[in-house]
Amino acid sequence: TDEPDKYPMGTEFAHGVTIRHRDDLDAVQRELREIEGLTVLVYDQTCAAEKRRRRKRGTFPDPAKRVVINDAVCEGCGDCSEKSNCVSVKPLETEFGRKRQIDQSNCNKDFSCVNGFCPSFVTVEGAQPRKADIPQGQAGGLGDSPLPEPAVPDLTRNYAVIVTGVGGTGVVTIGAILGMAAHLEGKGCGMIDMAGLAQKGGAVFSHVRLAPTPQDIHAIRVAAGQADLVLGCDLIVTGSKKVLAAVRKDETAVLCNTAEFLPGDFTRNADFSLPTERIKRAVLGAAGRDQTFFIDATAAAVGLLGNAIGANMFIMGYAWQLGRLPLSRASLERAIELNGEAVKMNLQAFALGRRAAHDPAALAAFLGQAKAPTAARHISQSLDEIIARRVEHLTGYQNASYAARYRALVDKVRSTEGVAKPGSTALSEAVARYGFKLMAYKDEYEVARLYTDGAFLKQVKATFQGDNMRFNLHLAPPLLSKVDPVTGEPRKMTFGPWMMSAFKVLAKLKGLRGTAFDVFGYSHERKTERKLIADYVALVEEIIGKLNADNLPLAVSLASIPEKIRGFGHVKARHLKQAKAEEVDLLARFRSGEGAMPVAQAAE
C-alpha cells in the first residue's frame, strides 16, 4: 500500500501477514517467489482517476507539491516512465531531441516518476499550475465582442452523437451534459457509455441519442453510418474503425482534438510516436473535408484556462456554435451548472469553444502566440542554424576553443559530403547533432549550470504560480547515495533549496573539467564519456574517408548512433551497450562496402 500508516498498530491480521509500503513491491515479490505453495499479495491503492475526483471535492489529501522536469537536463531515456508506468509523463520535442514533461492537468501526484534515475526531477512545494484569469463569460485572448447565436437544428428525428476520448478526461461528463440539457427541454435522450472503467488512458465511447420524445428512442447504440455528430476529444480514438464506421461521408460532422495523448506504449518505448497524419487522413476520408474540423482544444484550454480538462467542454461549445447540436445554449449552460463540477471553468470553456468556432483565425493567432519559439523550445530548421545553436551551447558548456573543435569536425564532414553527393546535408546534420550530444555530456558541472543559468527558473515561473515556492531536488551523488540491496541501483536522495546555491558554485568550476583537478573526472562514467568523444571523431574520419553516394544512408545511420545513448549512470550504461552492439553491425557492413541500407530499414 502507498498508505501503510492507515493500518493502525494492533490491527488483527492472520499470522505472517505483513504491511509494507509499495516502494517495497519488488522486494516483496522476490520474497514470495521463494516460498513454496500458495502466497497472496494484496495491493491497496486508490485509483488515480478516483484520486483526482476526490481532490476536486476536497475529500482526499491534495499535497501542495508538484513535479517539474528540467528538460535541459533530461536525456529522454524513459526511465521515469518505466518506474512510474504513468501516462502523465509526456514527450517534449526540443532542439536537442525528445525530452519529458509532466502533464500537470492529470498528474495523480503519486510522485513515482521521481524514482527515475535522472537529476532532472524537481518537486516544487507551494505551487499551483499557472492559469489565465478570465472573467466569467469572457474569452480572454480570443476577444470579448458579442457572439451571434447560430441556427440550432430542429430536433424532428433521432439525432445521434458519439463522444470519444480517453479515460479520466471527462468524456462521459459531456454525454451527461447533453442528456440533462435534453431533459430540461422536455426532449428524449438515451446514452450508452463504453469505457475501460477507471483505466487511465483507455478508450471511452459515449453514444448519445437525442429525440423529440423519449418514446422516439428505440436503440441507443449508434450503428454504422448513423452518426450525425462526432465530438472527438482524442485523435486516436476518433480515428478508430468503430468510430469512423458510424460516419456518413459529407453529412456527419466530426470535430477532433488534435492534441496527442500517447497510450501506455510510450511508458515502455521511449521512441513511440503516433501516426498523427495518417489518422487525420483517415478521418478526412471518412467524413469529407467540409465536415471535418481539427482543433487543438487542449492547447487552447491550457493556454486560456490553465487546465487541459476544459478541452472537452471547449469542443462542445465549438460544435454548438457551428449549429451542430439540436439543443439551446441556455439548456446546455444550465446543465453545466447542475453538474456542479468546476462550473465557472466549464462555462468559460464552453464560451471559448463558441468564440473559436466563430473566429478560427483568432484561435490560430492565439495558439501561435502561446507556442511562440523561445530559446529553449525553438527547433532549428537549417544546418547552419543547427551548428550555430550548438556552438553557442558548447561555448557556455566549456569555452570557445571547445566549441571550435566541434565546428571544425562538422565543417570537414560538410565539405566531404558536398563532394560525395552534391546538395545532401544528411550526414552533416547527423554529425552536427550527435557529435554535439557526445561533447556536451552532462557531468556534475553541466547539470549545475543547467539549473542555474536562468532557463529553469523561467520554466518554473511559466508553469506554476505561488508566492512561496520551495524546490527539492532529487539526486544520486556517486559519493553519497547508497545502493538498493534488491535492485542493485543507487538510491536517489532529496536535497532542499540550498542545493541551488551549491549548484551556482559548482557551475563556476567547469574549467576544471578534464583536468587533473577534476575530482569527478576519475569515475568510470566520466572516463567512458570522454572516450566516446574520441571514438566518435575517429569513426567520422573513417566514414568521410570512404564516403560516396551509395553508402551515404549507412554512414548517416552510423553517425546517428549516439542518439540511442541516453540517461545517467546505470541507465546510460545499459543504453550504451545496446548502441555499441548496433554500431558494430553497421560498421562491419560499411567497411565491407555493402552500400546502401535496405529501403525498409532506411525508412525506419
Side-chain angles (χ1 to χ4, degrees):
T1 177
D2 57 350
E3 301 175 279
D5 294 338
K6 77 178 183 181
Y7 296 98
M9 295 295 293
T11 303
E12 293 186 2
F13 286 101
H15 175 71
V17 173
T18 62
I19 301 170
R20 305 274 288 274
H21 194 279
R22 75 169 196 172
D23 288 348
D24 297 335
L25 176 62
D26 187 65
V28 170
Q29 291 179 128
R30 291 172 185 270
E31 291 173 15
L32 295 183
R33 77 181 183 186
E34 300 300 325
I35 300 174
E36 293 186 5
L38 176 66
T39 59
V40 178
L41 188 156
V42 178
Y43 194 109
D44 171 22
Q45 181 183 7
T46 307
C47 127
E50 183 62 22
K51 280 184 180 180
R52 293 195 300 277
R53 294 190 190 101
R54 293 182 186 178
R55 280 170 177 155
K56 290 177 183 177
R57 299 167 185 157
T59 59
F60 195 86
D62 188 5
K65 183 166 72 170
R66 293 275 176 172
V67 178
V68 63
I69 298 175
N70 184 339
D71 58 73
V73 175
C74 173
E75 283 275 288
C77 67
D79 191 53
C80 51
S81 294
E82 292 181 17
K83 290 290 196 299
S84 64
N85 195 36
C86 180
V87 294
S88 292
V89 182
K90 298 171 58 179
L92 175 66
E93 306 299 339
T94 75
E95 167 71 16
F96 303 115
R98 173 179 278 195
K99 306 298 186 77
R100 296 293 182 274
Q101 62 181 333
I102 303 296
D103 185 344
Q104 302 295 338
S105 296
N106 65 8
C107 174
N108 60 27
K109 292 187 175 183
D110 76 348
F111 308 115
S112 57
C113 57
V114 173
N115 295 330
F117 194 76
C118 171
S120 66
F121 280 83
V122 178
T123 48
V124 187
E125 297 177 3
Q128 294 296 328
R130 182 169 293 280
K131 56 186 177 181
D133 184 15
I134 306 173
Q136 185 170 341
Q138 296 189 16
L142 303 185
D144 299 320
S145 58
L147 286 173
E149 297 285 316
V152 176
D154 293 329
L155 193 59
T156 57
R157 60 172 179 81
N158 276 13
Y159 194 87
V161 182
I162 297 179
V163 189
T164 71
V166 296
T169 62
V171 175
V172 173
T173 299
I174 296 296
I177 296 295
L178 296 177
M180 177 54 73
H183 172 72
L184 292 173
E185 295 183 16
K187 298 173 180 176
C189 178
M191 289 175 289
I192 294 179
D193 298 320
M194 289 170 276
L197 299 179
Q199 181 185 356
K200 185 178 179 183
V204 178
F205 307 87
S206 284
H207 289 222
V208 182
R209 289 274 188 178
L210 304 174
T213 68
Q215 292 73 26
D216 294 320
I217 299 176
H218 304 290
I220 299 176
R221 186 176 181 276
V222 182
Q226 291 187 358
D228 295 292
L229 172 67
V230 175
L231 296 178
C233 304
D234 174 73
L235 183 64
I236 299 179
V237 185
T238 304
S240 64
K241 291 182 179 179
K242 64 173 62 178
V243 173
L244 296 185
V247 173
R248 299 190 306 278
K249 189 166 185 177
D250 298 325
E251 293 184 33
T252 304
V254 178
L255 285 76
C256 186
N257 184 3
T258 59
E260 294 187 355
F261 298 98
L262 292 180
D265 304 61
F266 179 66
T267 64
R268 298 175 291 278
N269 179 3
D271 295 318
F272 180 87
S273 294
L274 294 176
T276 301
E277 294 306 316
R278 191 174 70 196
I279 296 173
K280 287 182 178 180
R281 288 194 298 269
V283 174
L284 284 168
R289 189 166 296 277
D290 293 338
Q291 297 297 322
T292 304
F293 305 87
F294 291 122
I295 319 114
D296 193 342
T298 299
V302 172
L304 292 164
L305 301 170
N307 196 330
I309 295 298
N312 296 354
M313 206 64 70
F314 180 96
I315 288 178
M316 191 178 80
Y318 200 108
W320 187 84
Q321 189 66 29
L322 291 178
R324 303 291 183 165
L325 278 172
L327 298 166
S328 70
R329 176 168 63 88
S331 64
L332 288 169
E333 291 178 342
R334 179 56 182 158
I336 292 172
E337 293 172 353
L338 291 173
N339 182 55
E341 289 290 337
V343 173
K344 179 180 178 180
M345 185 196 74
N346 283 323
L347 287 173
Q348 289 176 345
F350 181 77
L352 288 167
R354 290 185 57 208
R355 189 164 296 279
H358 174 68
D359 189 357
L363 175 65
F366 172 79
L367 293 180
Q369 182 179 8
K371 297 179 179 180
T374 64
R377 297 287 181 266
H378 174 67
I379 298 179
S380 298
Q381 301 299 314
S382 68
L383 177 57
D384 286 332
E385 191 176 4
I386 291 171
I387 297 171
R389 294 282 299 277
R390 284 154 178 77
V391 166
E392 179 184 5
H393 188 100
L394 288 174
T395 302
Y397 176 89
Q398 186 75 357
N399 51 44
S401 176
Y402 192 67
R405 284 172 49 195
Y406 161 79
R407 181 184 283 277
L409 177 66
V410 178
D411 287 346
K412 189 172 184 179
V413 174
R414 192 174 190 179
S415 61
T416 304
E417 183 178 14
V419 174
K421 188 174 182 180
S424 172
T425 61
L427 179 60
S428 302
E429 288 187 18
V431 174
R433 291 186 185 280
Y434 303 120
F436 162 82
K437 177 180 171 66
L438 294 179
M439 292 184 70
Y441 62 89
K442 296 186 176 77
D443 58 7
E444 290 76 4
Y445 307 110
E446 178 64 355
V447 169
R449 187 180 76 88
L450 294 176
Y451 267 109
T452 57
D453 64 357
F456 176 66
L457 294 179
K458 289 179 181 178
Q459 177 190 345
V460 172
K461 190 174 181 180
T463 306
F464 301 117
Q465 58 188 26
D467 296 329
N468 297 299
M469 291 189 288
R470 183 179 186 274
F471 293 168
N472 287 304
L473 286 79
H474 304 270
L475 313 169
L479 301 178
L480 300 177
S481 58
K482 298 180 180 179
V483 175
D484 188 299
V486 176
T487 65
E489 300 174 359
R491 285 179 175 174
K492 296 178 75 174
M493 304 169 64
T494 300
F495 298 86
W498 64 269
M499 181 55 73
M500 294 296 285
S501 298
F503 273 166
K504 289 181 180 179
V505 175
L506 186 58
K508 293 178 181 180
L509 299 177
K510 66 180 183 179
L512 300 178
R513 180 186 288 121
T515 70
F517 301 101
D518 180 4
V519 294
F520 306 110
Y522 294 99
S523 69
H524 175 72
E525 184 175 355
R526 299 293 167 256
K527 290 179 180 178
T528 300
E529 286 165 337
R530 293 195 297 271
K531 185 175 185 300
L532 284 174
I533 299 172
D535 290 347
Y536 189 76
V537 172
L539 174 65
V540 169
E541 292 285 355
E542 180 176 352
I543 288 174
I544 61 178
K546 301 176 182 178
L547 189 65
N548 56 55
D550 291 332
N551 64 19
L552 181 61
L554 197 53
V556 173
S557 296
L558 265 172
S560 302
I561 285 292
E563 165 62 13
K564 301 181 180 182
I565 305 173
R566 307 168 183 166
F568 296 83
H570 61 277
V571 176
K572 186 171 187 175
R574 184 177 71 245
H575 288 164
L576 174 61
K577 183 178 180 180
Q578 296 168 352
K580 282 298 183 181
E582 183 176 345
E583 180 183 278
V584 168
D585 178 60
L586 290 174
L587 188 56
R589 292 168 56 192
F590 184 82
R591 287 171 174 169
S592 68
E594 185 173 326
M597 299 172 64
V599 174
Q601 189 175 348
E604 183 182 354

